[in-house]
Amino acid sequence: MKRFFLSLSYFLSIFMLSGCWDRVEVNDIAIITATAIDLTEDKQIKVTAQVFIPRALSGGGGMGTGGGDLTLIRKGIGINLADAVSKLQMVLPRTIFWGQCKVFIFGMGLAENGIRQQFDFLVRHPEPRGRAFMFVSKADTEKVLQLLPPLERYSGEVLKELLDFNIGLPVTMKDLDLMLTSDAQNAVIPLINIYPPNKGKMEFESIPYISGSALFSKDKMIGTIGEYETRGIMWIKNMLKDSTISFKTGNEKEEISVGPVQSHVKLKPKITKGAWKMSVKVRAEGDVIQNETKLDLMDPETIKKVEIDFEKNIKHRIEAALDPLQKEFNLDIINFATEYHHHYPKEWKKVKNRWNEIFPKIEVSVDVEAYIRRPGYTSTPSGLPKNEVKHE
């Protein structure tokens, strides 16, 4: 009898299951692959969507001549992003789906005016992924989405792949949200532009590329830095993996290239007699992958001297990133505020409301230890007679 009632309860519970009441068929959704958000001349919000075309893959079509066969561009304009998206939906016969949108691009106009209000829509909406990458574009955002890349399927995929290779500073939606709500309330986002098309190619037969970083004080862009300074920021933030560094050593005119470079960076804050100091300690190592000089890298003394120049190069990269942040922009995007908050909470509380005044005055020391683990497969410079090889 007990078994009967147990079986009956299981049977009756089936009718209480809700089932897939809110399901949406794949054929009824518009899959967004990349999105651009910008400000119009009359201060309205324009959203431009790169929409995937599923039927382009049917019939064994492949990629054709570029992203144009796989995506279409649609846009909507409204008083805010939510309104613009509703206008976008009006020109799409399928329900907008943000779950596969891996790239969001802010236009320069919107970035300078402030992104917080429109960014709120992306964070609040349940569909956009926290792993989606964020960008700011120098070029017209609509043109970026219209590009027909020769290798990848569409321009949004090009940008994602570039960040996968650590070419720029990878910033996801989650990262940006954390930066804007951090102690310093500053942010940095990859800056993109359009690569000039090859001779004989049409205007849109090109790709977007990463040309540096956009710097934000709170939610407004206040300036930009180049690729070299961006790499320095990536050093400080411990974000460089498998990179290659080329540098000159001694009096040599040619360069030595080391890679893949593995590094570890540690920030050590200190407050002494009212002076705020920060020690940036870097430990890096890599293998020689090209030797343009005539130096014999099998010589231990030569390797030691090369390592010193290796250290100097890394230190210069970091200092080149710190210099504009402290002297030009007064902008902490390298987690100094967080480190002081953790180590000196009482002192931090006193200055947190004027941190942009304190940050430029911080005395920063950069200490680098760099090692070359392997000189490469060949001992002496390849293709060079032994009598021309230099020994230190």
Side-chain angles (χ1 to χ4, degrees), residues 255-317:
E255 296 185 335
I256 291 176
S257 297
V258 177
V261 177
Q262 303 290 333
S263 64
H264 177 73
V265 181
K266 191 171 183 179
L267 302 179
K268 290 187 176 182
K270 192 174 183 180
I271 301 177
T272 307
K273 296 180 180 180
W276 293 59
K277 301 179 181 181
M278 178 67 72
S279 174
V280 181
K281 293 188 176 294
V282 182
R283 182 181 175 87
E285 61 179 49
D287 305 334
V288 175
I289 58 174
Q290 184 170 356
N291 178 17
E292 295 181 342
T293 72
K294 296 181 179 181
L295 297 175
D296 180 8
L297 298 182
M298 293 301 289
D299 184 346
E301 293 301 318
T302 300
I303 284 291
K304 287 181 181 179
K305 293 182 179 181
V306 172
E307 286 177 338
I308 292 173
D309 291 308
F310 186 18
E311 293 172 353
K312 289 179 180 178
N313 186 273
I314 295 173
K315 183 177 181 180
H316 183 269
R317 290 167 182 262

Side-chain angles (χ1 to χ4, degrees), residues 57-77:
L57 292 179
S58 62
M63 288 191 294
T65 60
D69 292 337
L70 286 178
T71 62
L72 59 87
I73 304 299
R74 292 290 183 269
K75 60 184 177 181
I77 298 176

Side-chain angles (χ1 to χ4, degrees), residues 29-35 47-56 66-75 88 91-94 96 142 145-148 153-155:
I29 61 175
I31 300 174
I32 309 298
T33 57
T35 302
V47 58
T48 307
Q50 191 179 69
V51 187
F52 181 67
I53 306 175
R55 72 168 182 267
D69 292 337
L70 286 178
T71 62
L72 59 87
I73 304 299
R74 292 290 183 269
K75 60 184 177 181
L88 174 65
V91 294
L92 287 172
R94 300 184 179 188
I96 294 174
E142 189 172 338
L145 297 185
Q146 290 174 338
L147 294 176
L148 307 176
R153 294 178 296 177
Y154 39 82
S155 57

Side-chain angles (χ1 to χ4, degrees), residues 85-368:
V85 169
S86 69
K87 301 293 176 57
L88 174 65
Q89 182 64 80
M90 294 173 64
V91 294
L92 287 172
R94 300 184 179 188
T95 303
I96 294 174
F97 178 66
W98 299 101
Q100 292 298 319
C101 186
K102 300 175 182 177
V103 168
F104 288 95
I105 305 170
F106 296 118
M108 292 285 281
L110 179 65
E112 292 171 349
N113 191 66
I115 63 172
R116 186 195 64 79
Q117 293 176 330
Q118 315 316 324
F119 184 64
D120 178 82
F121 173 86
L122 301 180
V123 177
R124 194 176 297 275
H125 198 287
E127 287 183 2
R129 294 187 177 185
R131 299 192 303 271
F133 291 111
M134 315 303 291
F135 298 89
V136 172
S137 178
K138 279 185 176 180
D140 182 274
T141 53
E142 189 172 338
K143 288 184 179 180
V144 172
L145 297 185
Q146 290 174 338
L147 294 176
L148 307 176
L151 291 178
E152 302 300 338
R153 294 178 296 177
Y154 39 82
S155 57
E157 195 168 67
V158 172
L159 292 170
K160 178 184 175 298
E161 295 293 337
L162 289 175
L163 290 185
D164 285 343
F165 285 110
N166 268 330
I167 291 176
L169 187 69
V171 176
T172 64
M173 186 187 301
K174 181 181 178 182
D175 294 332
L176 181 57
D177 189 30
L178 290 174
M179 283 190 281
L180 292 176
T181 56
S182 66
D183 292 323
Q185 296 183 357
N186 299 321
V188 55
I189 304 178
L191 186 66
I192 62 173
N193 207 341
I194 296 175
Y195 196 82
N198 292 331
K199 188 177 181 180
K201 296 292 183 179
M202 297 180 64
E203 179 185 0
F204 292 104
E205 292 183 276
S206 184
I207 62 169
Y209 72 99
I210 298 173
S211 61
S213 299
L215 305 179
F216 286 74
S217 177
K218 297 192 175 183
D219 72 321
K220 295 183 179 180
M221 191 186 84
I222 62 170
T224 64
I225 54 175
E227 297 173 49
Y228 190 84
E229 292 81 3
T230 297
R231 302 290 283 185
I233 291 174
M234 293 175 72
W235 273 102
I236 301 171
K237 293 172 73 71
N238 238 340
M239 300 177 74
L240 273 181
K241 297 178 181 178
D242 301 333
S243 61
T244 299
I245 293 180
S246 297
F247 56 93
K248 293 181 180 180
T249 182
N251 297 321
E252 299 296 318
K253 295 181 180 179
E254 294 79 14
E255 296 185 335
I256 291 176
S257 297
V258 177
V261 177
Q262 303 290 333
S263 64
H264 177 73
V265 181
K266 191 171 183 179
L267 302 179
K268 290 187 176 182
K270 192 174 183 180
I271 301 177
T272 307
K273 296 180 180 180
W276 293 59
K277 301 179 181 181
M278 178 67 72
S279 174
V280 181
K281 293 188 176 294
V282 182
R283 182 181 175 87
E285 61 179 49
D287 305 334
V288 175
I289 58 174
Q290 184 170 356
N291 178 17
E292 295 181 342
T293 72
K294 296 181 179 181
L295 297 175
D296 180 8
L297 298 182
M298 293 301 289
D299 184 346
E301 293 301 318
T302 300
I303 284 291
K304 287 181 181 179
K305 293 182 179 181
V306 172
E307 286 177 338
I308 292 173
D309 291 308
F310 186 18
E311 293 172 353
K312 289 179 180 178
N313 186 273
I314 295 173
K315 183 177 181 180
H316 183 269
R317 290 167 182 262
I318 294 174
E319 290 176 341
L322 286 169
D323 192 65
L325 294 181
Q326 286 193 295
K327 297 179 181 179
E328 183 179 352
F329 299 110
N330 299 346
L331 204 63
D332 177 15
I333 55 172
I334 45 182
N335 302 330
F336 280 15
T338 302
E339 292 296 327
Y340 279 109
H341 189 181
H342 287 170
H343 289 83
Y344 298 94
K346 292 182 180 179
E347 289 81 355
W348 161 257
K349 190 175 181 180
K350 296 176 183 178
V351 303
K352 67 177 183 179
N353 293 328
R354 54 187 184 91
W355 179 244
N356 284 351
E357 298 175 18
I358 301 296
F359 175 70
K361 301 175 184 178
I362 296 175
E363 299 176 25
V364 183
S365 61
V366 182
D367 181 23
V368 181

